[in-house]
C-alpha cells in the first residue's frame, strides 16, 4: 500500500520465526524485525516502482512452533 508516509507492506508468516529481514530492490532496509511481525512501513522509499522481499533471518521456523 502506498501512503504519504511511505510504503506499507503486509504479509502472512508460515510460522513464528526468530527474526525477519525486509529488502527493497535487493538492498536490506530492515534487518531486525521481530519474527512475529506481519507489517512494515518503508518510510524511506523513493518515488518509483520497487520490488520487496521479506525473509526469515534464520531461514527456518522456531522448533515446535507451527
Amino acid at each position: 500500500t502506498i501512503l504519504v508516509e511511505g510504503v506499507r507492506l503486509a504479509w502472512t508468516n508460515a510460522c513464528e520465526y526468530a527474526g525477519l529481514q525486509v529488502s527493497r530492490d535487493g538492498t536490506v532496509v530492515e534487518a531486525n524485525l521481530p519474527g512475529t511481525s506481519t507489517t512494515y512501513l518503508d518510510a524511506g522509499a523513493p518515488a518509483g516502482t520497487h520490488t520487496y522481499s521479506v525473509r526469515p533471518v534464520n531461514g527456518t521456523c522456531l522448533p515446535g512452533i507451527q
Side-chain angles (χ1 to χ4, degrees):
T1 306
I2 300 171
L3 307 169
V4 173
E5 300 87 8
V7 177
R8 180 170 305 279
L9 307 175
W11 61 89
T12 302
N13 294 323
C15 61
E16 183 177 330
Y17 297 102
L20 297 169
Q21 183 178 80
V22 179
S23 296
R24 176 189 348 109
D25 301 327
T27 301
V28 175
V29 292
E30 177 58 62
N32 297 306
L33 278 179
T36 56
S37 297
T38 57
T39 63
Y40 175 74
L41 177 64
D42 184 6
T49 301
H50 303 286
T51 301
Y52 286 87
S53 65
V54 179
R55 66 184 191 114
V57 173
N58 70 351
T60 60
C61 295
L62 292 174
I65 298 176
Q66 305 247 342

